[in-house]
Amino acid sequence: MQYSAAEENYIKAIYRLQDHAAMVTTNALADALQTKPPSVTDMLKKLKAKKLLNYEPYKGVKLSAEGKKVALAVVRKHRLWESFLVSKLQFGWDEVHEVAEELEHITSKKLIDKLDAFLGFPRFDPHGDPIPDSQGRITIQPQVRLTELPLHQSAEISAVGSQSPALLELLKAKGLQLGTRLDVRKIFSFDRSLDIRIKQQASVNISFELASVLFVKTC
Amino acid sequence: MQYSAAEENYIKAIYRLQDHAAMVTTNALADALQTKPPSVTDMLKKLKAKKLLNYEPYKGVKLSAEGKKVALAVVRKHRLWESFLVSKLQFGWDEVHEVAEELEHITSKKLIDKLDAFLGFPRFDPHGDPIPDSQGRITIQPQVRLTELPLHQSAEISAVGSQSPALLELLKAKGLQLGTRLDVRKIFSFDRSLDIRIKQQASVNISFELASVLFVKTC
DNA sequence: ATTAATTTTTAGATTCGCCTAAATTTAAAT
DNA sequence: ATTTAAATTTAGGCGAATCTAAAAATTAAT
């Protein structure tokens, strides 16, 4: 079966919202999708008819097993395209979302699987979110905040908790990017700032605020 | 300005048909787009209002200067995506058209320009058709049929005149693909078959039929 | 436990791109 | 030069996805 871009967007939004609330409400969806509640109601009826979700009027909505499969497929497409844009086309992390939002609706499964192979079957996207494999399985994130990394434990930056241009600017200035190998040399108790050493290079001092939006995987 | 996928498809179809006839007719368009004449009339009115074409009822249609610009942009996108699919994702030439038909409607100009750079600014797509640059300029094809290549003149395969699976199979068996460097060692007058030498490798003999659907650029 | 406020759904309309059937214009044929 | 045939346009409608305004159901509050 194949779904329209609008349908896929609803499914994806419900999938996201499900994590934070047992039942997804009409208004929450309208908010997330930048649309109005009546439009949501209409679409929910349609998706219910297609058995992608369980919806009872006034009660809220949850994805069916089939719906979750569709959601994972869309998430897979989105995150693979983001990975492509960053690792091959030199986009910044803060620029990829909108474009991936369009690319994720391209329908060829073959395309996505070949793209996956071309990228070397990455398990995390540039924001550190897991990429479902072609069966929809996802690897649980083994990453921790840099603030939680033990001293002298070697690790690499695997995700960034925000995509603000301000953060991007700071990271560039500090010479930090996705994949940068580092370990923590010292933690200053005064301001909880960290001295980190970048893989056989000089040390830099970074603030607690910065360290807490950086995620690392030990290696 | 930005145009819908449907609008872009009409513009592209008109652009193609303009080459073969001074005026593009409603029926020809309906045929090319697998749609019905009344739909075409509707869209022509809309595109005329947007000044993308000159249309007089019952007389036919021609693209305006602005329309040609849009057409070239769409053609550029289509051919760059086809190049990507073949040269990076290992698609066969015969499989790329449909997918590219979807990808060509992604709207980010930045994406396309970065894709262009990633591919090394190719001037021809896998079928040998020229790729407009970011200004819409196209290079005239400097390629010739392999049957017309002088003896010992080094060249590379730049296009294939057909996309049949049968041809693809044969090329694979002979070890020939887009970009393969070669030169002609001998032409047998009996059947006009050619012995060609693949760039520092063994020679192979190919039939005149095959040679005449292969296009090469000297280099 | 009624009333008030909020959330959600229904009703009815709009735009886009398409359709069929019928009318109209242009071109071809006798 | 009429008549016939073909091409094109108009008229009216449909499904998808959206909207506003109004009604109904749920939740919160006095």
Side-chain angles (χ1 to χ4, degrees), chain B residues 4 6 10 34-36 38-39 42-43 46 58:
Chain B
S4 72
Y10 274 87
Q34 311 241 67
T35 183
K36 305 288 165 172
S39 309
D42 282 356
M43 183 61 90
K46 202 171 102 184
Y58 295 103

Side-chain angles (χ1 to χ4, degrees), chain B residues 34-205:
Chain B
Q34 311 241 67
T35 183
K36 305 288 165 172
S39 309
V40 174
T41 302
D42 282 356
M43 183 61 90
L44 292 184
K45 283 183 193 166
K46 202 171 102 184
L47 295 177
K48 182 186 180 172
K50 294 189 180 185
K51 297 180 191 299
L52 293 173
L53 43 79
N54 303 110
Y55 162 63
E56 289 305 322
Y58 295 103
K59 285 189 171 177
V61 71
K62 269 181 83 167
L63 291 182
S64 68
E66 180 61 23
K68 258 175 229 156
K69 255 174 68 180
V70 174
L72 284 166
V74 178
V75 167
R76 168 170 164 79
K77 289 190 280 179
H78 184 97
R79 293 182 179 163
L80 280 174
W81 280 118
E82 284 200 342
S83 302
F84 169 70
L85 294 175
V86 169
S87 74
K88 302 293 183 182
L89 298 196
Q90 319 287 342
F91 273 78
W93 314 321
D94 53 335
E95 317 173 295
V96 295
H97 189 75
E98 283 175 49
V99 183
E101 209 63 23
E102 277 190 73
L103 285 164
E104 75 187 2
H105 302 299
I106 302 291
T107 52
S108 166
K109 177 151 170 47
K110 183 168 191 176
L111 169 63
I112 290 305
D113 290 344
K114 277 178 174 282
L115 181 64
D116 196 10
F118 178 58
L119 297 173
F121 303 104
R123 300 211 315 283
F124 301 94
D125 77 7
H127 305 116
D129 296 316
I131 301 174
D133 71 14
S134 61
Q135 260 70 241
R137 292 177 297 237
I138 59 182
T139 305
I140 291 111
Q141 269 167 283
Q143 62 192 9
V144 293
R145 283 177 201 275
L146 179 48
T147 50
E148 286 146 16
L149 185 68
L151 276 181
H152 306 300
Q153 165 76 65
S154 174
E156 71 174 47
I157 298 177
S158 58
V160 178
S162 154
Q163 288 96 247
S164 77
L167 173 58
L168 191 63
E169 181 200 14
L170 176 57
L171 291 175
K172 206 166 267 171
K174 296 273 188 192
L176 301 173
Q177 56 184 175
L178 225 60
T180 297
R181 291 282 201 86
L182 54 80
D183 69 271
V184 178
R185 297 337 284 291
K186 185 162 176 47
I187 301 172
F188 295 97
S189 58
F190 171 70
D191 62 355
R192 289 184 296 172
S193 71
L194 284 62
D195 269 5
I196 60 174
R197 188 183 55 171
I198 297 174
K199 189 191 176 187
Q200 53 247 59
Q201 278 182 215
S203 294
V204 281
N205 180 267

